[in-house]
Amino acid sequence: MLNPNRKESGSVELSERKKQILKAIIGDYIRTAEPVGSKALTEGHSLPFSSATIRNEMSELEEMGYLEKPHTSAGRIPSPQGYRLYVDELMEQPTDTGEDEAPLQTMMQTKVRELDRLIQEAGKLISSLTNYASVAITPALTQISIRQFEIIPIDKMNFVIVVVTDSGTVKNKMVRTIADVSKEEAELLTYVLNQTLTGLPLSHITAERFDIVRRAAGLSALLAPVAEYIAELIEELSNQKVFLEGTNKLLRFPEYRDLNKAQALLDYMEDDRKHLLPATRKIDGIQFFIGPENGANPLRETSAIYAKYDIGHIGQGAIGIVGPTRMDYAKLSAQLSRFAKGLNKLIAETFLDEKDGNS
């Protein structure tokens, strides 16, 4: 995937006149979904240029790759390169109306204590607020630590191992041993696990660290299935989860009136949600991925906007929206930024201590 912040080598700096005209065209096209002609610009905007000048500038903008001309229309539409210049240089941030305040306050009052579920619910809410498909991505929790182990005997060969992480996640699994295990052995292993493996980032729970557990807990038949489960859990938590919501909302856009095109996009998004991971995992503030920047796949005709959220020392995740390249980038990015700030606040209050929440 391409780097959305990459500047084209040898690119020509646009004149202020070209920038004004490009900005007006993009604004009209976002609003109407119709190609924009010079007459519409002359009549609909207070541009201090003649119609002939506007036509010439539009032709030059097309030659430079900032505009495209659909075959069936005399007007022009923005190209991905035009949208990229728009979000980088021309876009104005709208006034914050606070229109999302009530839904955000509702989310702030949620009692969800498990991080994955909270992020999934956040994705549902941002899709509802924006009427776009949403993507909510959990962090790779390599810096998360295990807060507590508990091994609960069912009988002498069946046990439930419960693991609680410092992000509030609770995981459990029934394990079966190949030989009887006494209550005392289970209690000893629980004690050793809590003394040896808690409070460490997952990345620090190595084979050498588990050797300490093995020596301290002895040759209990419970050790092998518990060690296997902990290894599975570390792998699971280290992988990012991608929650996708509201894909059917894309069908309301005129860009997806072609059902074959729409179905190809929806199938691609649903088939492997890892396709939706942004090209760069380090997102600073708001980041845009426009058209071909999403790769040579059905996402090449979409745009995505992502904002990061923080979980203190544990890491960063991202929340974003996906839609056609013709989207109101200014309004949606401001909306997403406000939402991410609310999500950060909620995470700080729910999962982090005061130090982490203010970091």
Side-chain angles (χ1 to χ4, degrees), residues 257-300:
R257 285 176 184 154
D258 182 334
L259 293 183
N260 290 330
K261 175 182 174 182
Q263 193 62 55
L265 173 62
L266 298 185
D267 287 348
Y268 184 81
M269 293 171 71
E270 293 282 2
D271 179 53
D272 183 353
R273 296 181 181 185
K274 294 296 177 67
H275 291 148
L276 298 166
L277 287 169
T280 173
R281 304 297 177 86
K282 287 197 74 173
I283 292 175
D284 185 14
I286 295 291
Q287 197 165 73
F288 303 87
F289 296 84
I290 299 171
E293 294 169 0
N294 290 296
N297 56 62
L299 290 171
R300 68 187 177 277

Side-chain angles (χ1 to χ4, degrees), residues 214-246:
R214 186 173 290 104
R215 290 195 298 271
L219 297 176
S220 170
L222 186 55
L223 186 61
V226 167
E228 182 179 346
Y229 175 58
I230 292 173
E232 292 172 2
L233 185 60
I234 290 173
E235 182 176 2
E236 175 189 346
L237 294 174
S238 297
N239 291 326
Q240 291 180 288
K241 295 184 180 67
V242 181
F243 298 108
L244 178 63
E245 300 288 345

Side-chain angles (χ1 to χ4, degrees), residues 141-214:
L141 300 178
T142 54
Q143 296 306 304
I144 202 173
S145 64
I146 295 173
R147 183 185 300 165
Q148 182 182 358
F149 291 93
E150 185 174 0
I151 297 175
I152 304 171
I154 304 301
D155 55 41
K156 290 186 176 182
M157 295 183 69
N158 292 284
F159 299 80
V160 175
I161 176 170
V162 180
V163 179
V164 182
T165 72
D166 61 358
S167 70
T169 300
V170 179
K171 299 287 186 179
N172 63 79
K173 183 180 182 180
M174 174 85 77
V175 297
R176 181 175 177 81
T177 61
I178 59 173
D180 289 356
V181 175
S182 68
K183 180 182 176 183
E184 291 73 22
E185 287 178 288
E187 290 175 347
L188 174 60
L189 181 55
T190 301
Y191 174 80
V192 172
L193 289 171
N194 281 307
Q195 291 296 310
T196 309
L197 301 184
T198 56
L200 297 171
L202 294 183
S203 56
H204 290 190
I205 301 180
T206 60
E208 290 77 13
R209 173 68 59 168
F210 217 88
D211 279 341
I212 299 173
V213 175
R214 186 173 290 104

Side-chain angles (χ1 to χ4, degrees), residues 7 12 56 113 136 143 170 239 329:
K7 298 294 184 182
V12 178
N56 289 336
R113 294 288 169 180
Q143 296 306 304
V170 179
N239 291 326
Y329 293 94

Side-chain angles (χ1 to χ4, degrees), residues 14-233:
L14 291 188
S15 67
E16 286 304 313
R17 184 163 65 191
K18 283 185 172 63
K19 288 180 180 179
Q20 286 184 55
I21 292 170
L22 179 61
K23 182 178 178 182
I25 291 171
I26 291 176
D28 282 1
Y29 185 63
I30 287 172
R31 187 178 69 255
T32 67
E34 295 291 338
V36 182
S38 58
K39 182 179 179 181
L41 289 180
T42 303
E43 296 176 353
H45 297 268
S46 301
L47 295 173
F49 318 123
S50 68
S51 181
T53 297
I54 291 175
R55 283 197 299 273
N56 289 336
E57 294 287 20
M58 289 175 69
S59 294
E60 290 185 17
L61 284 166
E62 182 182 352
E63 290 176 4
M64 297 170 74
Y66 293 99
L67 294 177
E68 296 174 349
K69 188 173 183 178
H71 296 300
T72 58
S73 172
R76 268 84 164 185
I77 64 174
S79 68
Q81 183 181 338
Y83 283 125
R84 169 51 60 191
L85 181 70
Y86 176 74
V87 300
D88 286 346
E89 298 185 29
L90 308 180
M91 184 173 73
E92 297 175 4
Q93 290 299 326
T95 303
D96 189 348
T97 62
E99 61 185 7
D100 304 333
E101 194 62 31
L104 283 173
Q105 286 300 320
T106 300
M107 192 175 106
M108 294 292 288
Q109 295 166 9
T110 183
K111 301 301 181 184
V112 174
R113 294 288 169 180
E114 187 170 340
L115 179 62
D116 285 3
R117 187 179 161 208
L118 176 63
I119 300 308
Q120 185 175 22
E121 291 300 314
K124 290 179 182 178
L125 183 52
I126 197 64
S127 177
S128 175
L129 290 172
T130 62
N131 271 322
Y132 281 76
S134 72
V135 182
I137 302 167
T138 64
L141 300 178
T142 54
Q143 296 306 304
I144 202 173
S145 64
I146 295 173
R147 183 185 300 165
Q148 182 182 358
F149 291 93
E150 185 174 0
I151 297 175
I152 304 171
I154 304 301
D155 55 41
K156 290 186 176 182
M157 295 183 69
N158 292 284
F159 299 80
V160 175
I161 176 170
V162 180
V163 179
V164 182
T165 72
D166 61 358
S167 70
T169 300
V170 179
K171 299 287 186 179
N172 63 79
K173 183 180 182 180
M174 174 85 77
V175 297
R176 181 175 177 81
T177 61
I178 59 173
D180 289 356
V181 175
S182 68
K183 180 182 176 183
E184 291 73 22
E185 287 178 288
E187 290 175 347
L188 174 60
L189 181 55
T190 301
Y191 174 80
V192 172
L193 289 171
N194 281 307
Q195 291 296 310
T196 309
L197 301 184
T198 56
L200 297 171
L202 294 183
S203 56
H204 290 190
I205 301 180
T206 60
E208 290 77 13
R209 173 68 59 168
F210 217 88
D211 279 341
I212 299 173
V213 175
R214 186 173 290 104
R215 290 195 298 271
L219 297 176
S220 170
L222 186 55
L223 186 61
V226 167
E228 182 179 346
Y229 175 58
I230 292 173
E232 292 172 2
L233 185 60

